[in-house]
Amino acid sequence: MSNKAILGDFHVHKPAIPGLKPAKMSKRLRASGSEKSPSPEEQRAKINDVKKMIGALADKFPALCSDASILRYLRARNWSVKKAAKMLKETLKWRLEFKPEKLQWEDIAHEAETGKIYKANYFDKKGRTVIVVRPGFQNTSAVAGQIKHLVYCVENAILTMNPDQEQMTWLVDFQWWTMACISVKAARDTLKILQDHYPERLGVAILYNPPKVFESFWTMMKPFIEPKTYKKVNFVYSNKPQSRKIMEEIFDMDKLESTFGGRNSIVFDYEAYGLRMKQEDKKFSDLNSSESALPMLSITLESQHSDSLIPNEDSSSSTDEDTSNLELDLDEETQDQPCNCKDDDNDDAAEVGPDKETEDQPCSCKNVGNGDAAEVVKELK
């Protein structure tokens, strides 16, 4: 995974990266400077309206269409029901093609050798999963493999989150990083996947000791991320007392690696990490292979606020047929359902994320999946 699509703001009008356009804000949101959340009653109504627009899919994919998951999509689209439903539909299509739930350690083991991205074995003070990213440790050039590695790590982090958490903390270490590490394609694909298919999963991001030259890349990325995400990003420098204070507020310094100013001398151990990941893969595979895997997993992930779904391998023929038949009618399901909400979906509404021009661009990792999924996506367009 090329971990270079870090995060940004929204000022430039001309896109600096092919395939992506700057995120926009509604006039109302620009005027207020912050997002106003609906009341609990209004949120419930919007959740129900999204489910109506999704139709039968809400019952077929209970984890991804749970209340907690739909709330994340609504927040990501500034409470626009139509845009949240459209975003959720695109995620369903992506998951059918990419099949992230089927990724295993063996699929990404080579990518993980240098520890360029891994899940830490501790949580932050709020109990959030910690993902460590070290873009200077890049060891491959194929973007498809890098994206698979990224998605594997994110999916694993979601599946193993504390039950009361739905967000992660990202620690980006710039040791050995140079401008040569940058891949515009990897940055674009990374940004698109994280922003479009894992909304509201970022709790806080720490950019640790970024070099001065990184600022030019940072400036290039700024237009493509909504402002509330930008506010979650912290530039931290080991030689500044204020930065130390930020780290102490977020992490238990006895658990945090010394690389980030903590008191834990542990370093990345590829063999030990691989063993841990394989054990976790087996745990979820065992759950997946049981006869009641799908409902069990749906209940588990609902309690964890997860948007991951894992199909039952033992009943793959009937499940695949049901899913295929259902997905072929996906556009009709989401377009023809009535919506009872008063949705602010005009030119002034916030357009967070890619425009129509980029929505239909295929992921570079189409090798994950099969021909049937590709045909389903083709029929949906």
Side-chain angles (χ1 to χ4, degrees):
M1 126 160 214
S2 160
N3 318 296
K4 295 118 186 160
I6 308 292
L7 305 167
D9 199 1
F10 72 97
H11 298 297
V12 180
H13 296 291
K14 293 184 178 180
I17 298 179
L20 287 179
K21 289 191 175 183
K24 301 175 183 177
M25 295 180 66
S26 67
K27 292 179 180 178
R28 184 174 57 202
L29 198 58
R30 284 195 296 267
S32 65
S34 62
E35 174 191 337
K36 182 181 178 181
S37 296
S39 67
E41 294 77 15
E42 291 171 328
Q43 291 184 30
R44 167 53 56 192
K46 286 178 179 289
I47 290 172
N48 291 338
D49 282 324
V50 170
K51 288 184 177 180
K52 287 178 182 178
M53 295 187 74
I54 295 298
L57 291 172
D59 296 325
K60 288 288 184 178
F61 299 97
L64 192 59
C65 298
S66 68
D67 290 357
S69 177
I70 291 174
L71 272 176
R72 286 193 297 273
Y73 283 82
L74 282 165
R75 290 198 300 268
R77 288 298 178 257
N78 296 313
W79 303 102
S80 167
V81 169
K82 292 181 181 179
K83 292 173 183 175
K86 180 180 179 181
M87 186 184 191
L88 186 52
K89 185 191 78 169
E90 290 299 319
T91 295
L92 288 168
K93 289 165 60 177
W94 174 76
R95 294 188 74 88
L96 281 171
E97 181 176 353
F98 197 104
K99 300 188 182 301
E101 72 281 352
K102 292 187 177 181
L103 289 174
Q104 298 284 302
W105 171 255
E106 289 75 14
D107 299 319
I108 55 89
H110 173 60
E111 295 284 342
E113 286 178 355
T114 60
K116 61 189 177 187
I117 177 170
Y118 62 91
K119 183 182 70 174
N121 61 355
Y122 57 87
F123 300 99
D124 69 7
K125 285 186 174 180
K126 291 186 177 181
R128 294 175 297 206
T129 300
V130 177
I131 298 290
V132 177
V133 180
R134 304 192 295 179
F137 287 65
Q138 183 59 264
N139 63 325
T140 63
S141 58
V143 174
Q146 294 167 8
I147 294 297
K148 280 205 294 185
H149 184 204
L150 168 72
V151 171
Y152 172 84
C153 290
V154 172
E155 289 282 314
N156 177 273
I158 291 171
L159 288 170
T160 57
M161 277 180 176
N162 282 325
D164 62 341
Q165 280 295 335
E166 61 177 2
Q167 293 186 321
M168 317 170 203
T169 292
W170 288 64
L171 264 174
V172 184
D173 177 15
F174 282 87
Q175 182 181 2
W176 296 353
W177 185 89
T178 67
M179 288 293 285
C181 297
I182 292 176
S183 163
V184 172
K185 176 173 173 52
R188 181 193 64 202
D189 291 352
T190 297
L191 181 58
K192 181 171 177 60
I193 286 175
L194 293 179
Q195 181 171 261
D196 290 2
H197 306 309
Y198 297 99
E200 295 295 304
R201 286 299 190 181
L202 177 66
V204 64
I206 302 294
L207 308 187
Y208 197 77
N209 285 333
K212 188 73 174 176
V213 69
F214 175 75
E215 292 181 7
S216 60
F217 182 68
W218 172 259
T219 300
M220 182 175 67
M221 294 305 300
K222 273 186 177 182
F224 310 109
I225 297 289
E226 54 186 309
K228 61 182 177 181
T229 301
Y230 173 63
K231 292 177 181 177
K232 297 177 181 180
V233 180
N234 295 271
F235 279 70
V236 171
Y237 301 90
S238 56
N239 60 349
K240 293 186 178 181
Q242 184 59 34
S243 291
R244 174 80 180 182
K245 194 174 298 184
I246 291 174
M247 299 299 280
E248 290 174 347
E249 289 175 355
I250 298 174
F251 301 100
D252 180 340
M253 301 305 282
D254 288 330
K255 296 178 180 179
L256 183 67
E257 297 105 310
S258 56
T259 301
F260 300 105
R263 291 185 284 272
N264 187 347
S265 60
I266 192 172
V267 295
F268 177 77
D269 184 325
Y270 173 72
E271 297 298 331
Y273 183 72
L275 179 62
R276 179 158 65 102
M277 293 299 100
K278 284 188 282 188
Q279 290 173 343
E280 292 180 359
D281 285 349
K282 185 178 186 303
K283 179 175 69 174
F284 291 111
S285 292
D286 290 344
L287 179 64
N288 185 32
S289 62
S290 66
E291 197 167 59
S292 57
L294 189 55
M296 283 178 59
L297 189 63
S298 297
I299 294 171
T300 300
L301 297 184
E302 168 73 20
S303 67
Q304 293 182 333
H305 309 293
S306 172
D307 62 3
S308 299
L309 51 108
I310 300 183
N312 188 339
E313 294 290 345
D314 285 351
S315 59
S316 59
S317 59
S318 60
T319 301
D320 288 347
E321 182 179 356
D322 290 343
T323 300
S324 179
N325 291 337
L326 187 63
E327 288 301 309
L328 286 172
D329 295 326
L330 186 55
D331 281 331
E332 182 179 347
E333 291 279 6
T334 57
Q335 290 175 11
D336 296 339
Q337 291 292 334
C339 175
N340 297 327
C341 71
K342 295 179 181 179
D343 201 20
D344 184 10
D345 195 27
N346 52 36
D347 290 340
D348 291 338
E351 286 284 356
V352 182
D355 290 348
K356 174 65 180 174
E357 175 180 316
T358 60
E359 283 173 356
D360 296 333
Q361 287 187 352
C363 171
S364 60
C365 304
K366 289 179 70 174
N367 56 317
V368 183
N370 54 36
D372 293 338
E375 286 300 315
V376 170
V377 173
K378 183 179 179 181
E379 290 289 335
L380 286 166
K381 292 180 179 179

